[in-house]
Amino acid sequence: MIVEPDRDALRAALDRETRRLVDRVRAGTDLDAPAPGLDWTAGQLVAHLCVVYRAFALAVRGDDYGEFITANLGTGHTLPEVVASTNARALAVVSFPGPREAADGLRDCADELLAALDTGPDLRAARPTPWYGTDVTRTVGTLVALSVSESVVHGYDLAGALRTRPWLDERSAATAAPIVMSEMLPLLVDPSGSRGFTGSYEVRIRHAPRFVLQLDAGRASTVPADGREVDCVLSLSGCDALLVGFHRRKLWHAIASGGALAYGRRPWLGLRFHSLFRLP
């Protein structure tokens, strides 16, 4: 791993975000309310998070995934296609009769993941992640960081669906974003958007470790930020990194609000960054 995960910070972030999610769901009144900008309802957001927490808990423990997970794995030629197909299958079989039951289910699944992390697994250990594609593996640290990023982003979505004030915790986002970006972006290069592109970015999530992302001939790799010369430096708040990355916020909005800044010898490449990747 290029960015070293902080076990205590990740656990605190996951605990903090899941508590907020459970409280908001329990106080909600309409699980059928649509999430702005998505094809999911509030109830489907909760169902998705439950599936994520349960699958990641199994992965963190190193357990077999069992019939529920394996029977609902999706298909596709790219990681986004496999993820979308898996989500559709999982949401077809997970539902809740009301907010109280949804909150209880979310709490149970989140607690399972937290308990798995508390067993002290090696955060650098690789685990099979078939929901990202055949033979794809990710480290335990990456999976925990992904669970935090899912909680932050879908917490934002859920607030929109339930018409409550959005909550965005910079501590949680900054803890997860550099791990998620450094470990997942190389899997998500868009062949069309990156065609003919060669360049390097130093990604600086504020108050978090830095890393360098190199792209060449439709492939990307991450390396440590060790003072090497790069084409563009991207400075991002943790929340803007996740919201822009998951297409919840326009890049120009992040720039205008001070949440994103690009500089270096080719600063204009900052505007192209989001088009180089295809996210689920």
Side-chain angles (χ1 to χ4, degrees), residues 9 13 23 35 44 56 64 87 108 115 121-122 127 131 156 158 169 171 209 219 231 249 252 256 268 276 279:
D23 288 345
Q44 288 173 319
F56 285 15
D64 291 336
N87 285 337
D108 288 345
D122 180 359
R127 296 285 194 261
W131 48 84
Y156 178 85
L158 193 63
D169 193 306
R171 294 169 299 170
R219 295 180 178 273
D231 294 305
R249 180 171 291 173
W252 66 263
W268 57 88
L276 298 171
L279 291 172

Side-chain angles (χ1 to χ4, degrees), residues 87-125:
N87 285 337
R89 293 186 180 187
L91 294 184
V93 297
V94 179
S95 62
F96 306 98
R100 180 175 181 177
E101 293 82 0
D104 288 344
L106 189 63
R107 182 71 272 159
D108 288 345
C109 293
D111 284 346
E112 183 179 353
L113 178 54
L114 287 163
L117 182 58
D118 287 342
T119 63
D122 180 359
L123 297 186
R124 288 179 168 270

Side-chain angles (χ1 to χ4, degrees), residues 6-20 107 114 117-118 144 147-148 151-152 169 171-173 175-176:
D6 183 324
R7 185 188 305 271
D8 291 340
L10 284 170
R11 198 216 184 273
L14 183 59
D15 182 56
R16 183 167 54 240
E17 296 304 318
T18 56
R19 287 179 183 276
R20 288 173 176 161
R107 182 71 272 159
L114 287 163
L117 182 58
D118 287 342
V144 178
S147 72
V148 174
S151 302
V152 171
D169 193 306
R171 294 169 299 170
S172 299
T175 296

Side-chain angles (χ1 to χ4, degrees), residues 39-57:
D39 293 329
W40 289 355
T41 64
Q44 288 173 319
L45 284 169
V46 176
H48 168 71
L49 285 169
C50 285
V51 172
V52 168
Y53 295 155
R54 177 61 54 80
F56 285 15

